Amino acid sequence: TSVAVDLVEFLNASPTAFHAVDESKKRLVSSGYTYLSEREDWKLEAGGKYFFTRNHSTIVAFAIGKKYVAGNGIYIIGAHTDSPCLKLKPVSKLSKGGYLEVGVQTYGGGLWHTWFDRDLSVAGRVIVREQQKNGSESYHHRLVRVEDPIMRIPTLAIHLDREVNDGFKLNKQTHLAPVLATSIKAELNKSATENGTVSSEAKLQGKTNTTQKHHSILLQLIADKIGCEPEEICDFELQAYDTQKSIISGALKEFIFSGRLDNLCMSYCSLKALIDSTSSETSLDDEAGARMVALFDHEEVGSDSAQGAGSPVMLDTLSRITGSFVSDPAKLLPKTIQKSFLVSADMAHALHPNYMDKHEENHQPKLHEGLVIKHNANQRYATNAVSSFLFREIAARNGLPVQEFVIRNDLACGSTIGPILASGAGIRTVDVGAPQLSMHSVREMCGVDDVKHSYDHFKAFFLQFSALDQNLAVD
């Protein structure tokens, strides 16, 4: 479907959370959404469409109904922009056995063995110093992505580890450093480039010691990409990423093979649903609430950051929206929260044909069979009977498939931003996600049909939720 094709383009444009936010931003701007700065006062209007970014790794977009008044509900889909990966250490320069290697930290709970023997490169953000005409300096945030594969984590030959197939035990500190170059070639390259020029180290006097912390080859590659000198790079947050492109594949072209499906697939589907549910001139004419998508960073590591779901970003946003329409938002915020609803959208575990016993027989989500509603009695997911009914009812009214998942009692359950936002803000929440295989691998897979089902379900949620909610009495 065209939605799946568009998702693949989104994935290929988004090797990091920073790039995912940048791609989301481009799509929102081209759809008539107005950029807001959190550092300024907001002047919002009913019928307006807005977005802001925090740290350039979290993005929140919302459209206010033309019938909105302060105290009305906000209908939110929350997802996350980050995925498990290898992030470069503050000092990444490693030299061992005649090789130049790159020191990396593990981020999140990745299937780290899948990162071996992949064609890797680096992407992320760089802080660049720029000299002004008047002699002063300014500092800019720049995104960078080196497209060519420049490094690799080689596995050890089986002849040197005969027991490896009985259980591969990797040491995250010693085994995961990618190889960037050999020392001998690096030296030859260095002499060639420095012949007749002032070395980077000499230019750097009194500036920054970035070139002492990272291999000069790596810094030069990054500088070439963003059009600056290596000594103008003040700092960066870079990660390794697999250069193999995301693709629609399988014998019947029914799968998407890609990195970062968890959770860029849900980020994309929710963003597209918001944009498409607010695209026409009359989209917001009868809307009394506001429609919102919030894509957070740092879910994979617990959401505890200034831009994670555990931060005040959600409450800040609800408060500022309310405050644009009334002088004392504190009075109306509790009312807004009780009328609001959050769909926490994070990928789900599809049944694996080679590990059937890992799923309970009554809860076996399958590819192509729709979004999965996730349940957990111990509140690892925030779904309850009310929130699951509302979400399921939207599916029923639109002829969409939906599935249920609960983890086996003898397995540990993962979690999502759902319980964090539900407990932090007090918003009714349902946890859902499209089913996938190979979760947290460098290369994951999901079903093409589920991308369309997810998009359709989210779009229907935005269009129909407020009317449905009025017919339900609980408290």
Side-chain angles (χ1 to χ4, degrees), residues 6 82 118 249 315 329:
D6 194 36
D82 61 319
R118 303 296 298 186
S249 211
L315 280 174

Side-chain angles (χ1 to χ4, degrees), residues 107-129:
Y107 173 85
L111 285 171
W112 303 121
H113 66 273
T114 64
W115 284 75
F116 284 74
D117 298 336
R118 303 296 298 186
D119 298 350
L120 305 177
S121 192
V122 293
R125 66 137 163 232
V126 184
I127 308 301
V128 181
R129 178 194 302 104

Side-chain angles (χ1 to χ4, degrees), residues 233-248:
I233 296 172
C234 302
D235 207 345
F236 57 59
E237 282 173 76
L238 295 180
Q239 65 192 59
Y241 79 96
D242 183 2
T243 57
Q244 188 176 1
K245 295 274 194 236
S246 307
I247 192 169
I248 293 175

Side-chain angles (χ1 to χ4, degrees), residues 71-292:
N72 284 6
I74 316 280
Y75 313 119
I76 309 158
I77 302 177
H80 65 89
T81 56
D82 61 319
S83 305
C85 64
L86 300 173
K87 298 204 173 193
L88 271 64
K89 289 181 174 174
V91 180
S92 73
K93 200 174 193 173
L94 287 179
S95 300
K96 288 187 292 192
Y99 291 95
L100 304 190
E101 292 189 308
V102 179
V104 292
Q105 302 181 71
T106 53
Y107 173 85
L111 285 171
W112 303 121
H113 66 273
T114 64
W115 284 75
F116 284 74
D117 298 336
R118 303 296 298 186
D119 298 350
L120 305 177
S121 192
V122 293
R125 66 137 163 232
V126 184
I127 308 301
V128 181
R129 178 194 302 104
E130 289 184 15
Q131 200 76 31
Q132 302 302 303
K133 287 200 172 86
N134 64 3
S136 68
E137 291 177 340
S138 63
Y139 305 92
H140 295 270
H141 160 113
R142 303 275 290 279
L143 295 191
V144 67
R145 172 188 193 163
V146 179
E147 274 92 1
D148 292 337
I150 58 167
M151 57 191 196
R152 196 165 180 273
I153 308 168
T155 40
L156 184 64
I158 192 164
H159 317 84
L160 305 177
D161 182 7
R162 291 287 183 186
E163 278 73 55
V164 68
N165 288 324
D166 300 329
F168 176 43
K169 288 189 171 58
L170 72 93
N171 181 307
K172 290 190 278 192
Q173 173 63 20
T174 56
H175 296 158
L176 272 179
V179 171
L180 183 70
T182 55
S183 310
I184 190 158
K185 290 283 185 189
E187 272 306 313
L188 289 169
N189 183 62
K190 198 173 171 187
S191 334
T193 53
E194 287 181 0
N195 193 14
T197 65
V198 185
S199 76
S200 293
E201 277 82 358
K203 285 190 202 169
L204 261 176
Q205 296 309 314
K207 286 293 182 192
T208 176
N209 62 349
T210 316
T211 52
Q212 273 94 58
K213 295 177 178 178
H214 309 283
H215 289 301
S216 56
I217 309 173
L218 183 62
L219 287 171
Q220 191 62 58
L221 282 166
I222 295 160
D224 289 346
K225 264 286 159 203
I226 54 180
C228 73
E229 295 298 323
E231 59 274 9
E232 289 169 340
I233 296 172
C234 302
D235 207 345
F236 57 59
E237 282 173 76
L238 295 180
Q239 65 192 59
Y241 79 96
D242 183 2
T243 57
Q244 188 176 1
K245 295 274 194 236
S246 307
I247 192 169
I248 293 175
S249 211
L252 301 173
K253 295 285 183 271
E254 62 181 302
F255 304 125
I256 293 174
F257 299 157
S258 172
R260 306 176 301 286
L261 286 171
D262 175 19
N263 191 30
L264 292 184
C265 179
M266 293 292 91
S267 295
Y268 164 82
C269 290
S270 56
L271 187 77
K272 182 169 172 60
L274 177 69
I275 287 171
D276 290 356
S277 75
T278 57
S279 59
S280 80
E281 289 293 315
T282 57
S283 293
L284 296 164
D285 284 2
D286 296 320
E287 179 61 81
R291 301 169 189 166
M292 179 186 292

Side-chain angles (χ1 to χ4, degrees), residues 412-433:
C413 186
S415 194
T416 68
I417 60 171
I420 293 165
L421 289 169
S423 59
I427 300 176
R428 293 172 297 166
T429 301
V430 64
D431 264 297
V432 306

Side-chain angles (χ1 to χ4, degrees), residues 10-11 14-24 54-60 78-85 87 107 239 260-268 270-271 293-300 307-308 345-346 417:
F10 183 86
L11 290 162
S14 308
T16 73
F18 303 116
H19 288 82
V21 163
D22 202 56
E23 181 63 17
S24 302
R54 186 179 281 195
N55 186 51
H56 212 284
S57 60
T58 286
I59 187 164
V60 178
H80 65 89
T81 56
D82 61 319
S83 305
C85 64
K87 298 204 173 193
Y107 173 85
Q239 65 192 59
R260 306 176 301 286
L261 286 171
D262 175 19
N263 191 30
L264 292 184
C265 179
M266 293 292 91
S267 295
Y268 164 82
S270 56
L271 187 77
V293 162
L295 310 179
F296 295 98
D297 195 5
H298 295 144
E299 187 276 343
E300 295 294 357
Q307 52 277 0
D346 202 350
I417 60 171

